[in-house]
Amino acid sequence: MITNKSSTCLFLLCIVNAYASEDGMFEQESISIQDTRWDPLDAKNTRWEPLDAPCLSTCSNNNELTADILQVCIDKCMTNSHCCGNRLNGESPSSSAARLSCANGCEIAWHRSTVALCKSDCDDSFNQCDYKHPNIRSSFEACWSCQEGCESWPEEEACSKGCDHADSLRDIGYYQYEEPVVGECTQSDIPRFLFAVPAIKTMS
């Protein structure tokens, strides 16, 4: 039977075996503990050795894109015969012909710092029914259809056109995204005691 104290200790050992990855999921890292007979209730004679804390990504300060702000860019798409609408307000949850729409390009532009990066994402998405952008939570669906009344398929450059339209809207937040720094690691604010394991040798 496992007591409450034992459960707590076992829980801490489980934490040792897990660390947060960049995408927020948990990955397992095996740790060898030689003395399998160690009794978690015999803590008074045990020396604890802290491990290095895991490398965690810091939270960004990027502003959330709202349906209203996205619509300002989409309105520019509409004036240039791009009829696929706003997926954030439910008007057009998907695009068609395995191409992202001009409206999708506007959304990507909010989550990028430059026009070049936005257009590169559009190129990466081409001929994909389901495109997952690295900075956007929900995937883009591109093999269905736009909203009722929009019968034309997005042209090949539709997504890139959205990137261009967003370039004139920097004053309302487009292209202000703080790109994550590759290799950046933050450890200072992590409680070190959570990442300790009992030493093999006990204190006399």
Side-chain angles (χ1 to χ4, degrees):
M1 178 178 179
I2 299 177
T3 64
N4 289 338
K5 289 184 179 179
S6 299
S7 299
T8 301
C9 292
L10 290 175
F11 173 72
L12 290 175
L13 286 176
C14 290
I15 293 178
V16 172
N17 287 337
Y19 63 92
S21 66
E22 291 184 0
D23 60 4
M25 301 297 292
F26 286 94
E27 299 174 354
Q28 293 294 323
E29 181 178 4
S30 60
I31 297 176
S32 175
I33 299 178
Q34 297 177 11
D35 188 2
T36 58
R37 297 170 298 173
W38 174 72
D39 183 0
L41 297 180
D42 189 23
K44 64 180 181 180
N45 293 322
T46 303
R47 183 177 77 255
W48 290 79
E49 295 182 349
L51 298 176
D52 289 336
C55 182
L56 303 178
S57 299
T58 55
C59 296
S60 68
N61 295 318
N62 294 308
N63 294 322
E64 182 180 356
L65 176 62
T66 66
D68 289 341
I69 293 177
L70 179 58
Q71 190 62 47
V72 176
C73 184
I74 293 176
D75 288 343
K76 291 181 175 292
C77 293
M78 298 291 187
T79 60
N80 287 274
S81 302
H82 298 286
C83 62
C84 208
N86 192 327
R87 76 173 188 148
L88 295 189
N89 63 12
E91 179 186 15
S92 183
S94 61
S95 183
S96 58
R99 301 170 184 170
L100 294 190
S101 65
C102 183
N104 296 152
C106 288
E107 187 174 345
I108 291 173
W110 182 270
H111 296 90
R112 280 305 193 189
S113 57
T114 67
V115 176
L117 283 173
C118 180
K119 290 187 175 183
S120 176
D121 293 335
C122 290
D123 291 340
D124 291 341
S125 72
F126 193 68
N127 281 335
Q128 292 191 48
C129 286
D130 188 271
Y131 172 66
K132 181 66 177 73
H133 189 275
N135 298 334
I136 301 175
R137 183 179 295 111
S138 59
S139 299
F140 292 95
E141 297 180 357
C143 285
W144 295 89
S145 59
C146 296
Q147 73 275 14
E148 185 177 354
C150 179
E151 305 300 333
S152 60
W153 290 353
E155 61 185 48
E156 291 187 12
E157 300 300 320
C159 181
S160 293
K161 293 294 185 182
C163 298
D164 288 332
H165 291 317
D167 195 29
S168 64
L169 300 171
R170 292 175 180 266
D171 58 327
I172 62 173
Y174 285 91
Y175 294 117
Q176 304 304 310
Y177 191 85
E178 295 181 8
E179 301 285 349
V181 179
V182 177
E184 186 179 72
C185 180
T186 299
Q187 295 176 312
S188 59
D189 58 349
I190 303 171
R192 305 285 293 185
F193 75 89
L194 291 176
F195 303 96
V197 293
I200 300 306
K201 303 174 76 174
T202 58
M203 299 179 67
S204 56

mmCIF file of all heavy atoms in Angstrom, residues 154-198:
data_model
loop_
_atom_site.group_PDB
_atom_site.id
_atom_site.type_symbol
_atom_site.label_atom_id
_atom_site.label_comp_id
_atom_site.label_asym_id
_atom_site.label_seq_id
_atom_site.Cartn_x
_atom_site.Cartn_y
_atom_site.Cartn_z
ATOM 1 N N PRO A 154 -9.073 30.325 -54.545
ATOM 2 C CA PRO A 154 -7.963 31.269 -54.365
ATOM 3 C C PRO A 154 -6.904 31.064 -55.447
ATOM 4 O O PRO A 154 -6.553 29.923 -55.774
ATOM 5 C CB PRO A 154 -7.401 30.899 -52.982
ATOM 6 C CG PRO A 154 -8.521 30.188 -52.286
ATOM 7 C CD PRO A 154 -9.261 29.463 -53.367
ATOM 8 N N GLU A 155 -6.424 32.138 -55.998
ATOM 9 C CA GLU A 155 -5.344 32.020 -56.975
ATOM 10 C C GLU A 155 -4.041 31.677 -56.259
ATOM 11 O O GLU A 155 -3.959 31.745 -55.031
ATOM 12 C CB GLU A 155 -5.185 33.323 -57.750
ATOM 13 C CG GLU A 155 -4.831 34.514 -56.869
ATOM 14 C CD GLU A 155 -4.785 35.815 -57.635
ATOM 15 O OE1 GLU A 155 -5.730 36.086 -58.397
ATOM 16 O OE2 GLU A 155 -3.804 36.551 -57.448
ATOM 17 N N GLU A 156 -3.032 31.300 -57.017
ATOM 18 C CA GLU A 156 -1.777 30.850 -56.419
ATOM 19 C C GLU A 156 -1.130 31.909 -55.529
ATOM 20 O O GLU A 156 -0.485 31.583 -54.531
ATOM 21 C CB GLU A 156 -0.794 30.413 -57.514
ATOM 22 C CG GLU A 156 -1.200 29.129 -58.236
ATOM 23 C CD GLU A 156 -0.124 28.636 -59.178
ATOM 24 O OE1 GLU A 156 1.012 29.151 -59.104
ATOM 25 O OE2 GLU A 156 -0.416 27.744 -60.003
ATOM 26 N N GLU A 157 -1.306 33.168 -55.878
ATOM 27 C CA GLU A 157 -0.656 34.245 -55.131
ATOM 28 C C GLU A 157 -1.577 34.884 -54.100
ATOM 29 O O GLU A 157 -1.228 35.915 -53.517
ATOM 30 C CB GLU A 157 -0.165 35.326 -56.106
ATOM 31 C CG GLU A 157 0.837 34.834 -57.138
ATOM 32 C CD GLU A 157 2.101 34.278 -56.483
ATOM 33 O OE1 GLU A 157 2.566 34.885 -55.491
ATOM 34 O OE2 GLU A 157 2.601 33.254 -56.964
ATOM 35 N N ALA A 158 -2.735 34.283 -53.846
ATOM 36 C CA ALA A 158 -3.708 34.904 -52.946
ATOM 37 C C ALA A 158 -3.141 35.118 -51.545
ATOM 38 O O ALA A 158 -3.282 36.204 -50.951
ATOM 39 C CB ALA A 158 -4.970 34.045 -52.874
ATOM 40 N N CYS A 159 -2.510 34.107 -50.995
ATOM 41 C CA CYS A 159 -1.957 34.221 -49.644
ATOM 42 C C CYS A 159 -0.903 35.325 -49.575
ATOM 43 O O CYS A 159 -0.898 36.144 -48.645
ATOM 44 C CB CYS A 159 -1.354 32.879 -49.224
ATOM 45 S SG CYS A 159 -0.644 32.841 -47.567
ATOM 46 N N SER A 160 -0.033 35.370 -50.578
ATOM 47 C CA SER A 160 1.007 36.412 -50.610
ATOM 48 C C SER A 160 0.409 37.809 -50.742
ATOM 49 O O SER A 160 0.966 38.785 -50.218
ATOM 50 C CB SER A 160 1.972 36.158 -51.775
ATOM 51 O OG SER A 160 2.722 34.973 -51.556
ATOM 52 N N LYS A 161 -0.724 37.906 -51.433
ATOM 53 C CA LYS A 161 -1.406 39.202 -51.535
ATOM 54 C C LYS A 161 -1.846 39.672 -50.152
ATOM 55 O O LYS A 161 -1.794 40.868 -49.832
ATOM 56 C CB LYS A 161 -2.606 39.096 -52.462
ATOM 57 C CG LYS A 161 -2.259 38.844 -53.926
ATOM 58 C CD LYS A 161 -1.530 40.028 -54.538
ATOM 59 C CE LYS A 161 -1.304 39.792 -56.037
ATOM 60 N NZ LYS A 161 -0.540 40.907 -56.664
ATOM 61 N N GLY A 162 -2.296 38.730 -49.316
ATOM 62 C CA GLY A 162 -2.657 39.083 -47.953
ATOM 63 C C GLY A 162 -1.471 39.625 -47.178
ATOM 64 O O GLY A 162 -1.600 40.584 -46.397
ATOM 65 N N CYS A 163 -0.294 39.036 -47.401
ATOM 66 C CA CYS A 163 0.934 39.541 -46.771
ATOM 67 C C CYS A 163 1.204 40.981 -47.191
ATOM 68 O O CYS A 163 1.602 41.827 -46.373
ATOM 69 C CB CYS A 163 2.121 38.658 -47.152
ATOM 70 S SG CYS A 163 2.014 36.944 -46.610
ATOM 71 N N ASP A 164 0.995 41.266 -48.476
ATOM 72 C CA ASP A 164 1.223 42.623 -48.994
ATOM 73 C C ASP A 164 0.222 43.622 -48.397
ATOM 74 O O ASP A 164 0.603 44.738 -48.008
ATOM 75 C CB ASP A 164 1.115 42.634 -50.516
ATOM 76 C CG ASP A 164 2.300 41.959 -51.195
ATOM 77 O OD1 ASP A 164 3.399 41.958 -50.613
ATOM 78 O OD2 ASP A 164 2.114 41.427 -52.314
ATOM 79 N N HIS A 165 -1.047 43.240 -48.341
ATOM 80 C CA HIS A 165 -2.057 44.156 -47.796
ATOM 81 C C HIS A 165 -1.766 44.474 -46.330
ATOM 82 O O HIS A 165 -1.948 45.626 -45.888
ATOM 83 C CB HIS A 165 -3.445 43.533 -47.921
ATOM 84 C CG HIS A 165 -3.942 43.422 -49.334
ATOM 85 N ND1 HIS A 165 -3.799 44.446 -50.255
ATOM 86 C CD2 HIS A 165 -4.586 42.411 -49.986
ATOM 87 C CE1 HIS A 165 -4.325 44.077 -51.408
ATOM 88 N NE2 HIS A 165 -4.801 42.848 -51.276
ATOM 89 N N ALA A 166 -1.303 43.489 -45.591
ATOM 90 C CA ALA A 166 -1.015 43.706 -44.169
ATOM 91 C C ALA A 166 0.144 44.678 -43.961
ATOM 92 O O ALA A 166 0.227 45.336 -42.921
ATOM 93 C CB ALA A 166 -0.694 42.370 -43.504
ATOM 94 N N ASP A 167 1.008 44.799 -44.957
ATOM 95 C CA ASP A 167 2.168 45.683 -44.829
ATOM 96 C C ASP A 167 1.755 47.143 -44.666
ATOM 97 O O ASP A 167 2.500 47.948 -44.100
ATOM 98 C CB ASP A 167 3.073 45.512 -46.054
ATOM 99 C CG ASP A 167 4.453 46.111 -45.845
ATOM 100 O OD1 ASP A 167 4.916 46.153 -44.685
ATOM 101 O OD2 ASP A 167 5.086 46.532 -46.846
ATOM 102 N N SER A 168 0.571 47.477 -45.151
ATOM 103 C CA SER A 168 0.094 48.868 -45.018
ATOM 104 C C SER A 168 -0.678 49.085 -43.718
ATOM 105 O O SER A 168 -1.207 50.170 -43.488
ATOM 106 C CB SER A 168 -0.801 49.222 -46.211
ATOM 107 O OG SER A 168 -1.977 48.422 -46.212
ATOM 108 N N LEU A 169 -0.721 48.048 -42.872
ATOM 109 C CA LEU A 169 -1.501 48.124 -41.632
ATOM 110 C C LEU A 169 -0.632 47.928 -40.396
ATOM 111 O O LEU A 169 -1.104 47.469 -39.348
ATOM 112 C CB LEU A 169 -2.615 47.062 -41.663
ATOM 113 C CG LEU A 169 -3.623 47.179 -42.804
ATOM 114 C CD1 LEU A 169 -4.533 45.953 -42.839
ATOM 115 C CD2 LEU A 169 -4.451 48.464 -42.655
ATOM 116 N N ARG A 170 0.603 48.298 -40.503
ATOM 117 C CA ARG A 170 1.514 48.150 -39.368
ATOM 118 C C ARG A 170 1.075 48.991 -38.166
ATOM 119 O O ARG A 170 1.374 48.642 -37.022
ATOM 120 C CB ARG A 170 2.940 48.523 -39.775
ATOM 121 C CG ARG A 170 3.568 47.544 -40.764
ATOM 122 C CD ARG A 170 4.933 48.003 -41.231
ATOM 123 N NE ARG A 170 5.543 47.067 -42.179
ATOM 124 C CZ ARG A 170 6.394 46.095 -41.841
ATOM 125 N NH1 ARG A 170 6.729 45.949 -40.567
ATOM 126 N NH2 ARG A 170 6.888 45.293 -42.753
ATOM 127 N N ASP A 171 0.372 50.075 -38.434
ATOM 128 C CA ASP A 171 -0.049 50.956 -37.338
ATOM 129 C C ASP A 171 -1.085 50.318 -36.427
ATOM 130 O O ASP A 171 -1.291 50.766 -35.292
ATOM 131 C CB ASP A 171 -0.588 52.279 -37.890
ATOM 132 C CG ASP A 171 -1.761 52.086 -38.838
ATOM 133 O OD1 ASP A 171 -1.783 51.069 -39.549
ATOM 134 O OD2 ASP A 171 -2.657 52.954 -38.843
ATOM 135 N N ILE A 172 -1.730 49.242 -36.876
ATOM 136 C CA ILE A 172 -2.711 48.570 -36.020
ATOM 137 C C ILE A 172 -2.194 47.209 -35.536
ATOM 138 O O ILE A 172 -2.952 46.425 -34.964
ATOM 139 C CB ILE A 172 -4.076 48.406 -36.714
ATOM 140 C CG1 ILE A 172 -3.967 47.540 -37.977
ATOM 141 C CG2 ILE A 172 -4.684 49.764 -37.039
ATOM 142 C CD1 ILE A 172 -5.334 47.209 -38.587
ATOM 143 N N GLY A 173 -0.906 46.937 -35.783
ATOM 144 C CA GLY A 173 -0.294 45.767 -35.179
ATOM 145 C C GLY A 173 0.279 44.711 -36.084
ATOM 146 O O GLY A 173 0.935 43.777 -35.612
ATOM 147 N N TYR A 174 0.047 44.825 -37.389
ATOM 148 C CA TYR A 174 0.606 43.810 -38.290
ATOM 149 C C TYR A 174 2.125 43.939 -38.371
ATOM 150 O O TYR A 174 2.677 45.033 -38.327
ATOM 151 C CB TYR A 174 -0.011 43.930 -39.685
ATOM 152 C CG TYR A 174 -1.428 43.408 -39.752
ATOM 153 C CD1 TYR A 174 -2.513 44.245 -39.525
ATOM 154 C CD2 TYR A 174 -1.682 42.062 -40.009
ATOM 155 C CE1 TYR A 174 -3.823 43.769 -39.571
ATOM 156 C CE2 TYR A 174 -2.982 41.568 -40.058
ATOM 157 C CZ TYR A 174 -4.048 42.429 -39.833
ATOM 158 O OH TYR A 174 -5.332 41.957 -39.875
ATOM 159 N N TYR A 175 2.788 42.788 -38.475
ATOM 160 C CA TYR A 175 4.246 42.684 -38.540
ATOM 161 C C TYR A 175 4.947 43.252 -37.300
ATOM 162 O O TYR A 175 6.082 43.719 -37.388
ATOM 163 C CB TYR A 175 4.784 43.335 -39.822
ATOM 164 C CG TYR A 175 4.355 42.611 -41.069
ATOM 165 C CD1 TYR A 175 3.557 43.242 -42.025
ATOM 166 C CD2 TYR A 175 4.714 41.289 -41.290
ATOM 167 C CE1 TYR A 175 3.130 42.563 -43.167
ATOM 168 C CE2 TYR A 175 4.294 40.605 -42.423
ATOM 169 C CZ TYR A 175 3.504 41.249 -43.353
ATOM 170 O OH TYR A 175 3.091 40.570 -44.487
ATOM 171 N N GLN A 176 4.281 43.178 -36.166
ATOM 172 C CA GLN A 176 4.905 43.579 -34.900
ATOM 173 C C GLN A 176 5.243 42.353 -34.044
ATOM 174 O O GLN A 176 5.580 42.481 -32.871
ATOM 175 C CB GLN A 176 3.954 44.497 -34.113
ATOM 176 C CG GLN A 176 3.497 45.728 -34.871
ATOM 177 C CD GLN A 176 4.657 46.566 -35.375
ATOM 178 O OE1 GLN A 176 5.563 46.893 -34.621
ATOM 179 N NE2 GLN A 176 4.633 46.906 -36.658
ATOM 180 N N TYR A 177 5.155 41.187 -34.643
ATOM 181 C CA TYR A 177 5.338 39.935 -33.908
ATOM 182 C C TYR A 177 6.791 39.764 -33.468
ATOM 183 O O TYR A 177 7.720 40.029 -34.233
ATOM 184 C CB TYR A 177 4.927 38.759 -34.798
ATOM 185 C CG TYR A 177 4.828 37.434 -34.084
ATOM 186 C CD1 TYR A 177 3.663 37.070 -33.409
ATOM 187 C CD2 TYR A 177 5.898 36.538 -34.075
ATOM 188 C CE1 TYR A 177 3.565 35.847 -32.756
ATOM 189 C CE2 TYR A 177 5.799 35.321 -33.429
ATOM 190 C CZ TYR A 177 4.630 34.981 -32.772
ATOM 191 O OH TYR A 177 4.545 33.772 -32.123
ATOM 192 N N GLU A 178 6.990 39.342 -32.232
ATOM 193 C CA GLU A 178 8.321 39.049 -31.719
ATOM 194 C C GLU A 178 8.632 37.577 -31.995
ATOM 195 O O GLU A 178 8.081 36.692 -31.359
ATOM 196 C CB GLU A 178 8.394 39.329 -30.215
ATOM 197 C CG GLU A 178 8.215 40.786 -29.854
ATOM 198 C CD GLU A 178 8.314 41.030 -28.361
ATOM 199 O OE1 GLU A 178 8.673 40.071 -27.627
ATOM 200 O OE2 GLU A 178 8.041 42.142 -27.924
ATOM 201 N N GLU A 179 9.507 37.351 -32.953
ATOM 202 C CA GLU A 179 9.847 35.983 -33.328
ATOM 203 C C GLU A 179 10.613 35.302 -32.194
ATOM 204 O O GLU A 179 11.447 35.930 -31.536
ATOM 205 C CB GLU A 179 10.709 35.970 -34.595
ATOM 206 C CG GLU A 179 10.063 36.625 -35.810
ATOM 207 C CD GLU A 179 8.977 35.767 -36.439
ATOM 208 O OE1 GLU A 179 8.861 34.585 -36.067
ATOM 209 O OE2 GLU A 179 8.259 36.282 -37.312
ATOM 210 N N PRO A 180 10.333 34.010 -31.928
ATOM 211 C CA PRO A 180 11.078 33.293 -30.887
ATOM 212 C C PRO A 180 12.546 33.186 -31.249
ATOM 213 O O PRO A 180 12.900 33.014 -32.421
ATOM 214 C CB PRO A 180 10.393 31.922 -30.850
ATOM 215 C CG PRO A 180 9.736 31.779 -32.187
ATOM 216 C CD PRO A 180 9.325 33.167 -32.593
ATOM 217 N N VAL A 181 13.406 33.310 -30.252
ATOM 218 C CA VAL A 181 14.850 33.225 -30.472
ATOM 219 C C VAL A 181 15.274 31.769 -30.398
ATOM 220 O O VAL A 181 15.042 31.093 -29.391
ATOM 221 C CB VAL A 181 15.621 34.051 -29.420
ATOM 222 C CG1 VAL A 181 17.121 33.927 -29.644
ATOM 223 C CG2 VAL A 181 15.178 35.509 -29.470
ATOM 224 N N VAL A 182 15.868 31.277 -31.466
ATOM 225 C CA VAL A 182 16.305 29.881 -31.526
ATOM 226 C C VAL A 182 17.416 29.647 -30.514
ATOM 227 O O VAL A 182 18.395 30.396 -30.455
ATOM 228 C CB VAL A 182 16.793 29.512 -32.935
ATOM 229 C CG1 VAL A 182 17.301 28.079 -32.957
ATOM 230 C CG2 VAL A 182 15.683 29.709 -33.944
ATOM 231 N N GLY A 183 17.256 28.622 -29.679
ATOM 232 C CA GLY A 183 18.286 28.276 -28.705
ATOM 233 C C GLY A 183 18.187 29.045 -27.403
ATOM 234 O O GLY A 183 18.976 28.829 -26.494
ATOM 235 N N GLU A 184 17.227 29.956 -27.286
ATOM 236 C CA GLU A 184 17.091 30.728 -26.056
ATOM 237 C C GLU A 184 16.582 29.827 -24.939
ATOM 238 O O GLU A 184 15.677 29.022 -25.127
ATOM 239 C CB GLU A 184 16.114 31.894 -26.276
ATOM 240 C CG GLU A 184 16.026 32.839 -25.090
ATOM 241 C CD GLU A 184 15.073 33.988 -25.386
ATOM 242 O OE1 GLU A 184 13.860 33.749 -25.428
ATOM 243 O OE2 GLU A 184 15.553 35.118 -25.564
ATOM 244 N N CYS A 185 17.165 29.967 -23.760
ATOM 245 C CA CYS A 185 16.787 29.115 -22.640
ATOM 246 C C CYS A 185 16.628 29.942 -21.384
ATOM 247 O O CYS A 185 17.471 30.790 -21.085
ATOM 248 C CB CYS A 185 17.847 28.040 -22.417
ATOM 249 S SG CYS A 185 17.478 26.922 -21.062
ATOM 250 N N THR A 186 15.539 29.712 -20.652
ATOM 251 C CA THR A 186 15.301 30.395 -19.390
ATOM 252 C C THR A 186 15.184 29.370 -18.275
ATOM 253 O O THR A 186 14.356 28.470 -18.343
ATOM 254 C CB THR A 186 14.010 31.229 -19.455
ATOM 255 O OG1 THR A 186 14.156 32.210 -20.481
ATOM 256 C CG2 THR A 186 13.732 31.916 -18.124
ATOM 257 N N GLN A 187 16.040 29.515 -17.256
ATOM 258 C CA GLN A 187 16.048 28.563 -16.159
ATOM 259 C C GLN A 187 15.937 29.216 -14.791
ATOM 260 O O GLN A 187 15.626 28.569 -13.813
ATOM 261 C CB GLN A 187 17.333 27.732 -16.180
ATOM 262 C CG GLN A 187 17.480 26.839 -17.406
ATOM 263 C CD GLN A 187 18.800 26.104 -17.425
ATOM 264 O OE1 GLN A 187 19.838 26.712 -17.208
ATOM 265 N NE2 GLN A 187 18.775 24.819 -17.686
ATOM 266 N N SER A 188 16.167 30.522 -14.711
ATOM 267 C CA SER A 188 16.346 31.177 -13.423
ATOM 268 C C SER A 188 15.131 31.120 -12.510
ATOM 269 O O SER A 188 15.264 31.124 -11.290
ATOM 270 C CB SER A 188 16.733 32.647 -13.646
ATOM 271 O OG SER A 188 15.724 33.310 -14.390
ATOM 272 N N ASP A 189 13.916 31.079 -13.070
ATOM 273 C CA ASP A 189 12.736 31.141 -12.231
ATOM 274 C C ASP A 189 12.112 29.774 -11.983
ATOM 275 O O ASP A 189 10.974 29.659 -11.567
ATOM 276 C CB ASP A 189 11.692 32.076 -12.858
ATOM 277 C CG ASP A 189 11.288 31.625 -14.252
ATOM 278 O OD1 ASP A 189 11.960 30.737 -14.788
ATOM 279 O OD2 ASP A 189 10.302 32.177 -14.783
ATOM 280 N N ILE A 190 12.860 28.690 -12.221
ATOM 281 C CA ILE A 190 12.332 27.342 -12.022
ATOM 282 C C ILE A 190 12.738 26.851 -10.639
ATOM 283 O O ILE A 190 13.914 26.899 -10.284
ATOM 284 C CB ILE A 190 12.882 26.372 -13.085
ATOM 285 C CG1 ILE A 190 12.538 26.889 -14.487
ATOM 286 C CG2 ILE A 190 12.344 24.969 -12.869
ATOM 287 C CD1 ILE A 190 13.210 26.123 -15.577
ATOM 288 N N PRO A 191 11.798 26.391 -9.803
ATOM 289 C CA PRO A 191 12.154 25.859 -8.476
ATOM 290 C C PRO A 191 13.107 24.671 -8.610
ATOM 291 O O PRO A 191 12.754 23.633 -9.142
ATOM 292 C CB PRO A 191 10.796 25.424 -7.893
ATOM 293 C CG PRO A 191 9.789 26.197 -8.658
ATOM 294 C CD PRO A 191 10.355 26.361 -10.032
ATOM 295 N N ARG A 192 14.324 24.825 -8.106
ATOM 296 C CA ARG A 192 15.341 23.793 -8.284
ATOM 297 C C ARG A 192 15.007 22.513 -7.518
ATOM 298 O O ARG A 192 15.380 21.426 -7.917
ATOM 299 C CB ARG A 192 16.696 24.326 -7.808
ATOM 300 C CG ARG A 192 17.130 25.631 -8.464
ATOM 301 C CD ARG A 192 17.607 25.443 -9.856
ATOM 302 N NE ARG A 192 18.844 24.692 -9.922
ATOM 303 C CZ ARG A 192 19.507 24.486 -11.044
ATOM 304 N NH1 ARG A 192 19.067 24.967 -12.163
ATOM 305 N NH2 ARG A 192 20.614 23.769 -11.051
ATOM 306 N N PHE A 193 14.282 22.641 -6.384
ATOM 307 C CA PHE A 193 14.026 21.450 -5.584
ATOM 308 C C PHE A 193 13.150 20.437 -6.305
ATOM 309 O O PHE A 193 13.128 19.261 -5.962
ATOM 310 C CB PHE A 193 13.371 21.837 -4.251
ATOM 311 C CG PHE A 193 11.918 22.220 -4.378
ATOM 312 C CD1 PHE A 193 10.916 21.265 -4.279
ATOM 313 C CD2 PHE A 193 11.556 23.535 -4.607
ATOM 314 C CE1 PHE A 193 9.589 21.618 -4.391
ATOM 315 C CE2 PHE A 193 10.230 23.887 -4.725
ATOM 316 C CZ PHE A 193 9.235 22.928 -4.613
ATOM 317 N N LEU A 194 12.423 20.887 -7.339
ATOM 318 C CA LEU A 194 11.572 19.974 -8.083
ATOM 319 C C LEU A 194 12.384 19.012 -8.937
ATOM 320 O O LEU A 194 11.871 18.002 -9.410
ATOM 321 C CB LEU A 194 10.598 20.751 -8.974
ATOM 322 C CG LEU A 194 9.505 21.527 -8.251
ATOM 323 C CD1 LEU A 194 8.683 22.317 -9.253
ATOM 324 C CD2 LEU A 194 8.603 20.587 -7.456
ATOM 325 N N PHE A 195 13.649 19.340 -9.149
ATOM 326 C CA PHE A 195 14.471 18.524 -10.033
ATOM 327 C C PHE A 195 15.650 17.940 -9.257
ATOM 328 O O PHE A 195 16.811 18.114 -9.594
ATOM 329 C CB PHE A 195 14.953 19.366 -11.223
ATOM 330 C CG PHE A 195 13.818 19.965 -11.971
ATOM 331 C CD1 PHE A 195 13.409 21.266 -11.701
ATOM 332 C CD2 PHE A 195 13.124 19.230 -12.908
ATOM 333 C CE1 PHE A 195 12.337 21.807 -12.374
ATOM 334 C CE2 PHE A 195 12.043 19.777 -13.584
ATOM 335 C CZ PHE A 195 11.648 21.063 -13.303
ATOM 336 N N ALA A 196 15.334 17.256 -8.156
ATOM 337 C CA ALA A 196 16.355 16.620 -7.343
ATOM 338 C C ALA A 196 16.047 15.138 -7.242
ATOM 339 O O ALA A 196 14.913 14.709 -7.281
ATOM 340 C CB ALA A 196 16.371 17.251 -5.944
ATOM 341 N N VAL A 197 17.129 14.357 -7.142
ATOM 342 C CA VAL A 197 16.971 12.915 -6.964
ATOM 343 C C VAL A 197 17.761 12.496 -5.739
ATOM 344 O O VAL A 197 18.750 13.133 -5.379
ATOM 345 C CB VAL A 197 17.474 12.135 -8.196
ATOM 346 C CG1 VAL A 197 16.598 12.407 -9.388
ATOM 347 C CG2 VAL A 197 18.918 12.476 -8.498
ATOM 348 N N PRO A 198 17.358 11.435 -5.081
ATOM 349 C CA PRO A 198 18.120 10.971 -3.911
ATOM 350 C C PRO A 198 19.470 10.414 -4.345
ATOM 351 O O PRO A 198 19.582 9.720 -5.343
ATOM 352 C CB PRO A 198 17.232 9.874 -3.334
ATOM 353 C CG PRO A 198 16.440 9.391 -4.495
ATOM 354 C CD PRO A 198 16.184 10.600 -5.356
#
